[in-house]
Coordinates of all heavy atoms in Angstrom, one line a residue:
S861 N 15.4 5.4 -1.8 CA 16.6 5.4 -2.7 C 16.3 4.9 -4.1 O 15.7 3.8 -4.2 CB 17.8 4.6 -2.1 OG 18.1 5.1 -0.8
I862 N 16.6 5.6 -5.1 CA 16.3 5.2 -6.5 C 17.5 5.3 -7.3 O 18.3 6.2 -7.3 CB 15.2 6.2 -7.1 CG1 14.0 6.2 -6.2 CG2 14.8 5.7 -8.5 CD1 12.9 7.3 -6.6
D863 N 17.8 4.2 -8.1 CA 18.9 4.1 -8.9 C 18.5 3.5 -10.3 O 17.9 2.4 -10.3 CB 20.0 3.2 -8.3 CG 21.3 3.1 -9.1 OD1 21.5 4.0 -9.9 OD2 22.0 2.1 -9.0
P864 N 18.7 4.2 -11.4 CA 19.3 5.5 -11.5 C 18.5 6.6 -10.8 O 17.3 6.6 -10.7 CB 19.5 5.7 -13.0 CG 18.3 5.0 -13.6 CD 18.2 3.7 -12.7
A865 N 19.2 7.7 -10.4 CA 18.6 8.8 -9.7 C 17.6 9.5 -10.7 O 18.0 9.7 -11.9 CB 19.6 9.8 -9.2
P866 N 16.4 9.8 -10.3 CA 15.5 10.5 -11.2 C 15.9 11.9 -11.5 O 16.6 12.5 -10.7 CB 14.2 10.4 -10.4 CG 14.6 10.3 -9.0 CD 15.9 9.5 -8.9
K867 N 15.4 12.3 -12.7 CA 15.7 13.7 -13.0 C 15.0 14.7 -12.1 O 15.6 15.7 -11.7 CB 15.2 14.0 -14.5 CG 15.3 15.4 -15.0 CD 14.8 15.5 -16.4 CE 13.3 15.2 -16.5 NZ 12.8 15.3 -17.9
N868 N 13.8 14.3 -11.6 CA 13.1 15.0 -10.6 C 12.2 14.1 -9.8 O 11.8 13.1 -10.4 CB 12.4 16.3 -11.1 CG 11.3 15.9 -12.1 OD1 10.4 15.2 -11.8 ND2 11.6 16.3 -13.4
L869 N 12.0 14.4 -8.5 CA 11.1 13.6 -7.7 C 10.3 14.6 -6.9 O 10.8 15.5 -6.2 CB 12.0 12.8 -6.7 CG 11.2 11.9 -5.7 CD1 10.5 10.8 -6.4 CD2 12.2 11.3 -4.7
R870 N 9.0 14.4 -7.0 CA 8.1 15.2 -6.2 C 7.1 14.4 -5.4 O 6.8 13.2 -5.8 CB 7.3 16.2 -7.1 CG 6.4 15.6 -8.2 CD 6.0 16.6 -9.2 NE 5.1 16.0 -10.2 CZ 3.8 16.0 -10.2 NH1 3.2 16.6 -9.2 NH2 3.1 15.4 -11.2
W871 N 6.5 15.0 -4.4 CA 5.6 14.3 -3.5 C 4.2 15.0 -3.6 O 4.1 16.2 -3.6 CB 6.1 14.3 -2.1 CG 7.4 13.6 -1.9 CD1 8.6 14.1 -2.2 CD2 7.6 12.2 -1.5 NE1 9.6 13.1 -1.9 CE2 9.0 12.0 -1.5 CE3 6.7 11.2 -1.1 CZ2 9.5 10.8 -1.1 CZ3 7.2 10.0 -0.7 CH2 8.6 9.8 -0.7
I872 N 3.2 14.2 -3.6 CA 1.8 14.7 -3.6 C 1.0 13.9 -2.6 O 1.4 12.8 -2.2 CB 1.1 14.8 -5.0 CG1 0.9 13.3 -5.5 CG2 1.9 15.6 -6.0 CD1 0.0 13.2 -6.7
H873 N -0.2 14.4 -2.3 CA -1.2 13.6 -1.6 C -2.4 13.4 -2.6 O -2.9 14.3 -3.1 CB -1.7 14.3 -0.3 CG -0.8 14.2 0.8 ND1 0.3 15.0 1.0 CD2 -0.7 13.3 1.9 CE1 0.9 14.7 2.1 NE2 0.4 13.6 2.6
D874 N -2.8 12.1 -2.8 CA -3.8 11.8 -3.7 C -5.2 12.1 -3.1 O -5.3 12.6 -2.0 CB -3.7 10.4 -4.3 CG -4.0 9.3 -3.3 OD1 -4.4 9.7 -2.1 OD2 -3.8 8.1 -3.6
V875 N -6.2 11.7 -3.9 CA -7.6 12.0 -3.4 C -8.0 11.3 -2.1 O -8.9 11.7 -1.4 CB -8.6 11.6 -4.6 CG1 -8.6 10.1 -4.8 CG2 -10.0 12.2 -4.3
F876 N -7.3 10.2 -1.8 CA -7.5 9.5 -0.5 C -6.5 9.9 0.6 O -6.5 9.3 1.6 CB -7.3 8.0 -0.8 CG -8.2 7.4 -1.9 CD1 -7.7 7.1 -3.1 CD2 -9.6 7.3 -1.6 CE1 -8.5 6.6 -4.1 CE2 -10.4 6.8 -2.6 CZ -9.9 6.4 -3.9
D877 N -5.7 10.9 0.3 CA -4.7 11.5 1.2 C -3.6 10.5 1.4 O -2.9 10.6 2.4 CB -5.4 11.8 2.6 CG -4.5 12.9 3.3 OD1 -3.9 13.7 2.6 OD2 -4.5 12.9 4.6
N878 N -3.3 9.6 0.4 CA -2.1 8.8 0.5 C -0.9 9.7 0.0 O -1.1 10.5 -0.9 CB -2.2 7.6 -0.5 CG -3.4 6.7 -0.1 OD1 -3.5 6.3 1.1 ND2 -4.2 6.4 -1.1
C879 N 0.2 9.4 0.5 CA 1.4 10.1 0.1 C 2.0 9.4 -1.1 O 2.3 8.2 -1.0 CB 2.4 10.2 1.3 SG 3.8 11.3 1.0
V880 N 2.2 10.1 -2.2 CA 2.7 9.5 -3.4 C 3.9 10.2 -3.9 O 4.0 11.5 -4.0 CB 1.6 9.6 -4.5 CG1 2.0 8.9 -5.8 CG2 0.3 9.0 -4.1
A881 N 5.0 9.5 -4.2 CA 6.2 10.0 -4.8 C 6.1 9.8 -6.3 O 5.8 8.7 -6.8 CB 7.4 9.3 -4.2
I882 N 6.4 10.8 -7.1 CA 6.4 10.7 -8.5 C 7.8 11.0 -9.1 O 8.3 12.1 -8.9 CB 5.3 11.7 -9.1 CG1 4.0 11.4 -8.5 CG2 5.3 11.6 -10.6 CD1 2.9 12.4 -8.9
A883 N 8.3 10.1 -9.8 CA 9.7 10.2 -10.3 C 9.7 10.3 -11.8 O 8.9 9.5 -12.5 CB 10.5 9.0 -9.9
N884 N 10.5 11.2 -12.4 CA 10.7 11.3 -13.8 C 12.2 11.1 -14.1 O 13.1 11.5 -13.3 CB 10.2 12.6 -14.4 CG 8.7 12.7 -14.4 OD1 8.0 12.1 -15.2 ND2 8.1 13.3 -13.4
F885 N 12.5 10.5 -15.2 CA 13.9 10.1 -15.5 C 14.4 10.7 -16.9 O 13.5 11.1 -17.7 CB 14.0 8.6 -15.5 CG 13.7 7.9 -14.2 CD1 12.4 7.6 -14.0 CD2 14.6 7.6 -13.3 CE1 12.0 7.0 -12.8 CE2 14.3 7.0 -12.1 CZ 13.0 6.7 -11.9
S886 N 15.7 10.7 -17.1 CA 16.3 11.0 -18.3 C 17.3 10.0 -18.7 O 17.8 9.3 -17.9 CB 16.9 12.4 -18.3 OG 18.0 12.4 -17.3
G887 N 17.6 9.9 -20.0 CA 18.6 8.9 -20.5 C 18.1 7.5 -20.6 O 16.9 7.3 -20.4
E888 N 19.0 6.6 -20.8 CA 18.6 5.2 -20.9 C 19.2 4.3 -19.8 O 20.3 4.7 -19.2 CB 19.1 4.6 -22.3 CG 18.3 5.2 -23.4 CD 18.7 4.6 -24.7 OE1 19.8 4.0 -24.8 OE2 17.9 4.6 -25.7
T889 N 18.7 3.2 -19.5 CA 19.2 2.3 -18.5 C 18.7 0.9 -18.8 O 17.7 0.7 -19.5 CB 18.7 2.7 -17.1 OG1 19.3 1.9 -16.1 CG2 17.2 2.6 -17.0
Q890 N 19.4 -0.1 -18.2 CA 18.9 -1.5 -18.3 C 18.4 -2.0 -16.9 O 18.2 -3.2 -16.8 CB 20.1 -2.4 -18.8 CG 20.2 -2.2 -20.3 CD 21.2 -3.3 -20.9 OE1 22.2 -3.0 -21.4 NE2 20.7 -4.6 -20.8
S891 N 18.3 -1.1 -15.9 CA 17.8 -1.5 -14.6 C 17.2 -0.3 -13.9 O 17.5 0.8 -14.2 CB 18.9 -2.2 -13.8 OG 19.9 -1.2 -13.5
L892 N 16.4 -0.6 -13.0 CA 15.8 0.4 -12.0 C 15.7 -0.3 -10.7 O 15.1 -1.4 -10.6 CB 14.4 0.8 -12.5 CG 13.7 1.7 -11.5 CD1 14.4 3.0 -11.3 CD2 12.2 2.0 -12.0
R893 N 16.2 0.3 -9.7 CA 16.2 -0.2 -8.3 C 15.6 0.8 -7.4 O 16.1 1.9 -7.3 CB 17.6 -0.6 -7.8 CG 17.6 -1.3 -6.5 CD 19.0 -1.7 -6.1 NE 19.1 -2.5 -4.9 CZ 19.2 -2.0 -3.7 NH1 19.2 -0.7 -3.5 NH2 19.2 -2.8 -2.6
V894 N 14.5 0.4 -6.7 CA 13.9 1.3 -5.7 C 13.9 0.6 -4.4 O 13.4 -0.5 -4.2 CB 12.4 1.6 -6.1 CG1 11.7 2.5 -5.1 CG2 12.3 2.2 -7.5
E895 N 14.6 1.3 -3.4 CA 14.7 0.8 -2.0 C 14.0 1.7 -1.1 O 14.3 2.9 -1.1 CB 16.1 0.6 -1.6 CG 16.3 0.0 -0.2 CD 17.7 -0.3 0.2 OE1 18.6 -0.1 -0.6 OE2 17.9 -0.9 1.3
N896 N 13.1 1.2 -0.3 CA 12.3 2.0 0.7 C 12.6 1.4 2.1 O 12.3 0.3 2.4 CB 10.8 1.8 0.4 CG 10.0 2.7 1.2 OD1 10.3 3.9 1.3 ND2 8.9 2.2 1.8
Y897 N 13.2 2.3 2.9 CA 13.5 1.9 4.3 C 12.6 2.7 5.2 O 12.5 3.9 5.1 CB 15.0 2.1 4.7 CG 15.3 1.8 6.1 CD1 15.4 0.5 6.6 CD2 15.3 2.8 7.1 CE1 15.6 0.2 7.9 CE2 15.5 2.6 8.4 CZ 15.7 1.3 8.8 OH 15.9 1.0 10.2
L898 N 12.0 2.0 6.2 CA 11.1 2.7 7.1 C 11.4 2.2 8.6 O 11.8 1.1 8.8 CB 9.6 2.3 6.8 CG 9.1 2.6 5.4 CD1 7.8 1.9 5.2 CD2 9.0 4.1 5.1
E899 N 11.1 3.1 9.5 CA 11.2 2.8 10.9 C 10.0 3.5 11.5 O 9.8 4.7 11.4 CB 12.5 3.2 11.5 CG 12.6 2.9 13.0 CD 13.9 3.3 13.6 OE1 15.0 3.0 13.0 OE2 13.9 4.0 14.6
L900 N 9.1 2.7 12.2 CA 7.9 3.3 12.8 C 7.5 2.7 14.1 O 7.8 1.5 14.4 CB 6.8 3.3 11.8 CG 6.2 1.9 11.4 CD1 4.8 2.1 10.9 CD2 7.0 1.3 10.3
E901 N 6.9 3.5 14.9 CA 6.3 3.1 16.2 C 4.9 2.5 15.9 O 4.1 3.0 15.1 CB 6.1 4.2 17.1 CG 7.4 4.9 17.5 CD 7.2 6.2 18.4 OE1 6.1 6.5 18.7 OE2 8.2 6.8 18.7
H902 N 4.7 1.3 16.5 CA 3.4 0.6 16.1 C 2.7 0.3 17.4 O 3.2 -0.5 18.3 CB 3.8 -0.7 15.3 CG 2.6 -1.3 14.7 ND1 1.9 -2.4 15.2 CD2 1.9 -1.1 13.5 CE1 0.9 -2.7 14.5 NE2 0.9 -2.0 13.4

Side-chain angles (χ1 to χ4, degrees):
S861 303
I862 304 173
D863 184 25
K867 177 177 63 176
N868 57 67
L869 178 68
R870 62 191 180 96
W871 298 82
I872 66 168
H873 283 85
D874 69 6
V875 69
F876 304 106
D877 203 30
N878 301 310
C879 192
V880 184
I882 303 175
N884 289 280
F885 300 85
S886 60
E888 294 186 333
T889 183
Q890 282 190 245
S891 66
L892 172 64
R893 184 179 188 273
V894 178
E895 180 172 3
N896 188 47
Y897 175 81
L898 306 166
E899 183 178 308
L900 65 157
E901 299 174 1
H902 193 263

